[in-house]
Amino acid sequence: MLFGSSVGKKIAMAATGLILVLFVIVHLIGNTSIFAGPDGINAYAATLHSMGPIVWIFRLVMLGVFLLHIWLGLKLTLENKLARPVGYAQKENLRTSYAAQIMIYSGLVLLLFTIYHLLHFTVRVTNPEISHFVDAAGRLDVYAMVVLSFQKFFITLTYVIAMVFLLLHLSHGIGSMFQSTGLNNARTLPTIQTAGKWIAIVLLVGYIAIPISIFVGMIKL
């Protein structure tokens, strides 16, 4: 059984991680439509909404993948701690990066942020006073909702901090995916790890560019 062994869990962890990384990349590409102005992101959002239940099914599947990824991470972390003597664990920590040591914590922070993000922009209950505008074409005015949200310091700060945790998680996690599946060796590992770090940095810059651009007034109503 896939989840019956440590190797099986690691493979499942890598598979769910890959799915989530791809989603994060696609999600960023969609979000950058805000730089095209109100019509850009409102048209993008309207296209998603026109898919009806398909979008919600996709969201639920992705949430399930995320929860499975978290559960596998918790299980593997607990198993590793129980299997290793305290002295060995301390020596191991000296050889690993800070991002690697806090993987489980950064993952839990991202889970909490995802819940907040869904309540904020999908369910639209955290700031209802700015969540029901429509544009001239009769579409939900996502542009106004996003701009009015990120004009608030606390919301911008929350998103920026969350994306820093995403950077930490992915900077180690992307390389770990290849290690878990055995798709690397001593020669390719440094390249894979470096590529993982650069992907994480690009995603960080891309994601925080939106709230920061709005907060400093580069994007406005």
Side-chain angles (χ1 to χ4, degrees):
M1 186 176 176
L2 183 61
F3 300 140
S5 68
S6 178
V7 174
K9 292 189 189 76
K10 287 180 179 179
I11 292 174
M13 183 87 170
T16 53
L18 177 60
I19 292 170
L20 291 169
V21 170
L22 293 175
F23 171 76
V24 166
I25 293 171
V26 172
H27 190 54
L28 175 59
I29 292 171
N31 287 353
T32 55
S33 60
I34 195 168
F35 291 106
D39 191 59
I41 195 166
N42 288 350
Y44 167 68
T47 299
L48 292 180
H49 291 158
S50 69
M51 297 179 184
I54 295 175
V55 174
W56 276 102
I57 291 171
F58 176 76
R59 286 169 175 162
L60 290 173
V61 169
M62 290 307 303
L63 183 59
V65 170
F66 193 12
L67 292 174
L68 176 59
H69 189 73
I70 292 282
W71 178 77
L72 289 166
L74 289 170
K75 287 283 289 182
L76 286 168
T77 299
L78 181 60
E79 289 175 4
N80 288 339
K81 284 189 175 182
L82 291 175
R84 293 175 178 176
V86 174
Y88 177 84
Q90 291 174 340
K91 290 179 181 178
E92 187 69 14
N93 284 340
L94 292 175
R95 293 197 299 266
T96 57
S97 66
Y98 177 71
Q101 293 177 38
I102 66 164
M103 280 295 284
I104 194 66
Y105 304 109
S106 59
L108 291 173
V109 168
L110 291 172
L111 174 61
L112 293 175
F113 169 73
T114 299
I115 294 171
Y116 169 72
H117 180 60
L118 290 172
L119 292 174
H120 184 192
F121 284 130
T122 303
V123 185
R124 304 196 298 276
V125 297
T126 61
N127 300 88
E129 73 280 2
I130 61 172
S131 301
H132 302 288
F133 299 123
V134 293
D135 65 9
R139 302 169 299 197
L140 179 66
D141 198 344
V142 176
Y143 181 86
M145 180 170 60
V146 173
V147 171
L148 290 171
S149 291
F150 290 133
Q151 285 177 345
K152 299 179 179 180
F153 174 76
F154 176 75
I155 294 178
T156 296
L157 181 64
T158 298
Y159 274 76
V160 170
I161 290 174
M163 292 306 99
V164 171
F165 275 98
L166 179 66
L167 165 72
L168 292 170
H169 199 79
L170 294 185
S171 65
H172 176 74
I174 293 175
S176 293
M177 288 191 300
F178 292 90
Q179 286 182 282
S180 298
T181 54
L183 298 177
N184 69 308
N185 53 50
R187 183 173 59 84
T188 60
L189 181 59
T191 301
I192 292 172
Q193 290 177 332
T194 300
K197 288 180 173 64
W198 275 108
I199 291 171
I201 290 170
V202 169
L203 288 171
L204 169 70
V205 172
Y207 272 110
I208 68 172
I210 296 170
I212 290 177
S213 294
I214 292 170
F215 187 74
V216 301
M218 293 175 63
I219 298 176
K220 50 192 171 184
L221 294 176

